Amino acid sequence: MKEYFQNIEIQPIPHLSKNGVSTDVLRIDQLHPVVSGNKWFKLQHYLQHAKNTGAEAIATFGGSWSNHIIATAYACREINMHSIGYIRGENSTKLTPTLAYAKTIGMELIFTDRDHYRDKQALIRENTREMVYWIMEGGYGKMGAEGAADILSVAGTGSYSHILCAVGTGTMMAGLVKGSAPGQHVVGISVLKNHFLLHSEVDNLLTPEERLKQKSILHDYHFGGYARYNDELISFISGLWNQCNLPTDIVYTSKLLFGVADLIGKGYFTPGSRLLVIHSGGLQGNNSLITGRLPF
Ligand SMILES: *Cc1c(COP(=O)(O)O)cnc(C)c1O
């Protein structure tokens, strides 16, 4: 996958450069046509650890549109490791494009009803097979954060005043805090509704010194909750595409960019701020929309 690093560009967004603030987007969604974005970064250290400990398979969890599932399937195939995905929900006769692709590239899919899915530790206990290495949902954990810290090293990012990202489990944000230069402020936009535990979930992945770095998590841009959206968000996505040639996904990056636009408008950033917005990928998730809903 490293050979794809050259695909990653920094894209200036003139439409979001006003009130003395300039905005660029780090397009890690361009890493790969399918396995785009942050999930691959988060997986790197787990995969290495799994290999070093002699694991023969990687098992993890995700929903039927999960970017994490698809990235795990792909990354495991690259290192010739068997992968197992515990999928939330019942098996349906027709797989989503996400799951169909994961299966095509070799992932073993095990459907798990919602009650069982909720209790990950029990699932792990009941399904412990020899030589299986478990990765938490979304790659949450310290090794995930260490992998995500590398996001800031794919291009020159040291001169930005703010690094902005969408936040699910908080692993990527923790990585960005780890990788941030002195004086940089990392701002996370939560895509979950009122999930205030995020602050400690991020801190748990950081050292005491890293916890003192400048970071904020904002809870105002979830649009009703995880994977929820409305017409306003859909037309915002269309506008970003039409005016800025920037494709975004409905779960993470559109809410992030919406938040950035709103914060700039409100004067949240002091004039002279230089923003770097992380486009973490996830565009394959837009396949859950009916065809034609988005202009790309
Ligand atoms: C998973 C994901 C995130 C959230 O990452 P966390 O490390 O779980 O906070 C953000 N953007 C995209 C596109 C993702 O797929």
Side-chain angles (χ1 to χ4, degrees), residues 100-179:
Y101 184 79
K103 193 173 171 183
T104 306
I105 58 177
M107 182 175 261
E108 179 185 344
L109 302 178
I110 300 179
F111 289 86
T112 312
D113 67 56
R114 279 156 202 273
D115 289 338
H116 285 99
Y117 187 86
R118 216 165 284 132
D119 191 351
K120 303 284 182 315
Q121 292 312 323
L123 259 185
I124 292 176
R125 270 197 311 279
E126 288 159 19
N127 294 284
T128 290
R129 309 186 209 174
E130 235 164 291
M131 304 305 200
V132 171
Y133 186 92
W134 292 88
I135 298 179
M136 287 320 294
E137 191 171 27
Y140 179 79
K142 288 195 172 151
M143 279 188 254
E146 271 158 34
D150 287 341
I151 291 172
L152 292 177
S153 63
V154 296
T157 57
S159 67
Y160 292 93
S161 58
H162 297 75
I163 312 284
L164 299 106
C165 70
V167 182
T169 65
T171 312
M172 168 170 60
M173 176 165 177
L176 296 171
V177 172
K178 281 179 181 299

Side-chain angles (χ1 to χ4, degrees), residues 28-29 36-39 42 65-68 137-141 144-145 148 165-175 189 191-192 198 202 205 226 249 251-253 256 278-284:
I28 61 171
D29 61 301
S36 64
N38 71 355
K39 297 299 183 287
K42 290 196 280 183
W65 298 98
S66 167
N67 299 321
H68 172 65
E137 191 171 27
Y140 179 79
C165 70
V167 182
T169 65
T171 312
M172 168 170 60
M173 176 165 177
I189 304 283
V191 302
L192 303 166
L198 261 177
V202 169
L205 305 180
Y226 184 75
D249 78 294
V251 181
Y252 296 101
T253 52
L256 166 63
I278 309 297
H279 192 316
S280 39
L283 294 171
Q284 63 91 27

Side-chain angles (χ1 to χ4, degrees), residues 86-106:
Y86 285 82
I87 308 302
R88 182 179 62 238
E90 307 293 338
N91 194 356
S92 63
T93 40
K94 202 168 176 302
L95 294 178
T96 59
T98 308
L99 295 182
Y101 184 79
K103 193 173 171 183
T104 306
I105 58 177

